[in-house]
Amino acid sequence: METNSSALISLLLFLSVLLLFGYINNNFFSVNSSPKFEYTTVFSVPIVELQTKAISISTSSDHHHDDPILTVHNSAAPSNNTTLAVTKNVKKKKKNVKLSKEEEEMEHGLARARATIRKAASLTGNISRIVADGDENDVAGTVYLNARAFYQSYMEMEKRFKVHVYSEGELPIVHDGPCKDIYTVEGRFIHEMEHGAKRFKTRDPRRAHVYFMPFSVTWMVKYLYKPLTYDHTAMKQFVADYVRVVSSKYPFWNRTQGADHFMLSCHDWGPHASHGNPFVYNTSIRVLCNANSSEGFSPRKDVSLPEIHLYGGNVPPKLISPPPATSPRPYLAFFSGGLHGPIRPILLDHWKGRDPDLQVYEYLPKDLDYYSFMLRSKFCLCPSGHEVASPRIVEAIYAECVPVILSDHYVLPFSDVLRWEAFAIQVNVSEIPRLKEVLISVPEEKYRRLKEGLRAIRKHFALNQPAKRFDVFHMILHSIWLRRLNLRLV
């Protein structure tokens, strides 16, 4: 009987986590081009109460058939009632566990945020301006799935969202990361959470909405990995040990099996490291550059991290202020890169040195400048390499060169907020032989709108020190905030 009770407790704990973060709803975070904002089931039952209700099963009943049954009713019809309906087949003598004052305040605050965002989303009319840092900046409202909903959600995040950064772990693998070159965004985010982000960081874990595990997978690879072995065991063991420490020392991991915890990695092997603990992989929020939906990345709970390659840690001077929109761009498209992965060989086989309108190189000659080509091209080709993400996407955004996404199974960054079709073009790999035909067929008016879209969203991919409102640091936080709120865009 003890064995059966333990098994049931574990099952109900896991189911409550799945319910809380949207696993049951297959449409969670499904994105549609229609600028309509909806929400998944809004949970009035807080995290701790869900967990403690499950735990109370064995303590209040001696028989398996007396265990309560939790049933979720998710009504799709519009309604002012946004709570999770929970029915219980249980004796009245069972008592609910009382929430702490901090927990009640936090859940009530989230409920108010959901209601405010929903109200903003229902308003009609287009937004042509968003206020940022006290100034009104012109933006094309079409770059957002729902501009009003995004803006209101961002305001609610600034008002309420709190992150606790675990202090456990030692340098260099924890509390630090690379702040230059191809994994720049990993180190910059960790650095900002450790030394900045005063608005969002809380030292009191009881008041946190989410918990950050500030280890660097890139530094794990540098300090723990044995070159050429392709053995990820040491990285997995590090993650397993880290979770063991924080879950033994604090109650927060155990109450949700890590569903309100997140890790962040821009290294290709970030997903491998997350296998160190099954709940990190399956339940926690994983913020990853390697956002491959065919390899376990789940946009329902995970966050796609833009890969930003800053040589020496700074934006190349030529990309800081792109030329005016009226400046000539004589080349139709440009790409230069090695034969990594399955897609690039197809691209180079069809277009390398074949057409002067498509400047396609494997390695750019030393007398030619990479960024000058981007600034003189209408479209910048962004094929995946060994993994799905490519730093060329952000480079193209900086250069106001319309990105052409050539990838399979890549969940694009911030696609829970942004309409990528408003500033980029996605071409199926099978269409690479017809690439010139596809690009030439883009009408001039559409190309102009794509360029306007790039100028509007550039700030969302900018790395600033210190971080600024609406920049990439805050967009990453906002994606995490949405998953904690359990909101979706359709």
Side-chain angles (χ1 to χ4, degrees):
M1 181 59 65
E2 292 182 359
T3 301
N4 291 337
S5 297
S6 299
L8 184 62
I9 294 169
S10 299
L11 176 61
L12 284 168
L13 281 170
F14 185 62
L15 285 175
S16 64
V17 171
L18 296 183
L19 290 173
L20 180 62
F21 282 83
Y23 275 93
I24 300 301
N25 189 340
N26 290 329
N27 293 323
F28 181 65
F29 272 102
S30 59
V31 178
N32 187 297
S33 60
S34 174
K36 180 182 178 183
F37 187 93
E38 293 184 0
Y39 57 94
T40 54
T41 308
V42 178
F43 290 82
S44 66
V45 182
I47 298 173
V48 177
E49 188 174 349
L50 284 170
Q51 301 308 312
T52 51
K53 280 182 179 179
I55 292 172
S56 69
I57 293 171
S58 64
T59 60
S60 60
S61 176
D62 294 329
H63 302 288
H64 179 73
H65 64 270
D66 286 335
D67 292 341
I69 300 172
L70 305 183
T71 306
V72 178
H73 301 284
N74 183 9
S75 176
S79 170
N80 291 327
N81 181 9
T82 61
T83 60
L84 168 70
V86 180
T87 59
K88 296 185 298 179
N89 178 19
V90 63
K91 297 179 181 179
K92 291 183 179 180
K93 68 178 182 179
K94 301 195 168 128
K95 297 181 179 180
N96 293 334
V97 176
K98 184 176 177 60
L99 296 176
S100 68
K101 180 180 178 181
E102 293 86 355
E103 291 158 357
E104 285 185 347
E105 289 178 352
M106 183 169 62
E107 295 300 328
H108 289 161
L110 292 178
R112 288 192 291 270
R114 295 182 188 107
T116 305
I117 296 167
R118 184 188 179 206
K119 181 178 179 181
S122 67
L123 298 176
T124 58
N126 295 325
I127 283 187
S128 60
R129 295 176 180 270
I130 284 183
V131 179
D133 294 326
D135 298 321
E136 287 189 345
N137 299 321
D138 289 326
V139 292
T142 56
V143 301
Y144 302 105
L145 292 168
N146 187 306
R148 292 183 184 278
F150 165 61
Y151 181 67
Q152 188 62 49
S153 176
Y154 189 94
M155 297 301 103
E156 292 293 331
M157 177 188 75
E158 287 190 324
K159 179 180 178 181
R160 305 178 188 279
F161 196 36
K162 296 299 178 185
V163 181
H164 179 71
V165 181
Y166 281 120
S167 61
E168 283 66 30
E170 298 180 358
L171 296 170
I173 296 178
V174 189
H175 312 297
D176 190 28
C179 291
K180 60 182 180 179
D181 299 331
I182 197 166
Y183 303 122
T184 299
V185 70
E186 180 177 311
R188 290 283 187 89
F189 185 90
I190 294 173
H191 187 272
E192 188 69 27
M193 287 306 309
E194 292 282 352
H195 306 290
K198 293 182 180 179
R199 179 194 295 267
F200 301 102
K201 192 164 56 176
T202 176
R203 293 184 179 274
D204 185 354
R206 296 170 301 174
R207 296 186 178 276
H209 297 96
V210 295
Y211 303 83
F212 179 39
M213 299 177 286
F215 48 70
S216 167
V217 175
T218 301
W219 281 172
M220 289 183 204
V221 174
K222 181 177 181 179
Y223 294 106
L224 301 179
Y225 172 69
K226 294 181 180 180
L228 303 179
T229 64
Y230 298 97
D231 184 357
H232 307 129
T233 302
M235 294 181 289
K236 293 178 182 178
Q237 188 60 53
F238 187 95
V239 172
D241 290 342
Y242 195 88
V243 171
R244 178 179 53 80
V245 169
V246 298
S247 63
S248 299
K249 190 173 182 179
Y250 307 105
F252 312 109
W253 174 275
N254 296 320
R255 72 185 186 184
T256 67
Q257 297 298 320
D260 52 1
H261 287 56
F262 74 97
M263 61 166 282
L264 180 142
S265 172
C266 197
H267 198 280
D268 288 351
W269 292 349
H272 294 294
S274 70
H275 273 287
N277 181 283
F279 287 104
V280 172
Y281 185 87
N282 292 305
T283 308
S284 297
I285 301 168
R286 299 179 305 157
V287 185
L288 302 171
C289 283
N290 190 3
N292 190 333
S293 62
S294 71
E295 296 179 356
F297 183 91
S298 172
R300 298 186 186 98
K301 71 174 188 70
D302 297 328
V303 172
S304 179
L305 182 66
E307 191 170 290
I308 303 176
H309 191 174
L310 298 185
Y311 295 95
N314 299 306
V315 176
K318 290 184 177 181
L319 300 185
I320 292 176
S321 298
T326 55
S327 298
R329 292 188 178 244
Y331 303 119
L332 179 64
F334 167 67
F335 170 77
S336 175
L339 290 174
H340 307 310
I343 297 176
R344 295 186 187 184
I346 301 173
L347 175 64
L348 268 68
D349 182 59
H350 282 89
W351 295 108
K352 178 183 175 183
R354 299 290 184 91
D355 192 312
D357 290 336
L358 272 70
Q359 294 290 311
V360 176
Y361 298 85
E362 182 175 357
Y363 294 105
L364 198 65
K366 292 184 178 180
D367 60 333
L368 299 178
D369 182 71
Y370 181 84
Y371 296 117
S372 293
F373 265 107
M374 298 190 87
L375 293 167
R376 301 184 69 201
S377 301
K378 295 179 67 175
F379 298 95
C380 285
L381 309 180
C382 305
S384 294
H386 288 308
E387 303 296 347
V388 290
S390 170
R392 286 167 182 77
I393 295 176
V394 175
E395 290 173 341
I397 291 172
Y398 290 171
E400 295 182 7
C401 177
V402 177
V404 179
I405 313 298
L406 299 168
S407 181
D408 290 325
H409 312 296
Y410 183 30
V411 179
L412 291 163
F414 313 138
S415 53
D416 46 12
V417 167
L418 300 177
R419 291 181 61 248
W420 276 81
E421 62 268 30
F423 54 89
I425 291 177
Q426 193 151 11
V427 177
N428 292 331
V429 174
S430 61
E431 293 292 294
I432 287 178
R434 297 181 52 249
L435 190 56
K436 183 176 182 178
E437 178 185 346
V438 171
L439 298 181
I440 288 178
S441 67
V442 176
E444 193 60 31
E445 176 60 22
K446 179 178 180 180
Y447 175 73
R448 184 188 64 80
R449 292 198 303 270
L450 291 170
K451 289 284 294 294
E452 290 177 352
L454 286 175
R455 289 192 289 273
I457 58 91
R458 177 189 172 113
K459 62 178 172 288
H460 296 321
F461 292 86
L463 269 172
N464 299 303
Q465 284 186 304
K468 297 180 180 180
R469 299 181 74 213
F470 295 101
D471 69 1
V472 71
F473 171 78
H474 290 91
M475 292 297 285
I476 295 166
L477 274 187
H478 183 260
S479 289
I480 298 167
W481 158 251
L482 283 181
R483 282 147 182 81
R484 179 60 179 87
L485 271 181
N486 199 28
L487 293 176
R488 65 173 176 172
L489 297 168
V490 296

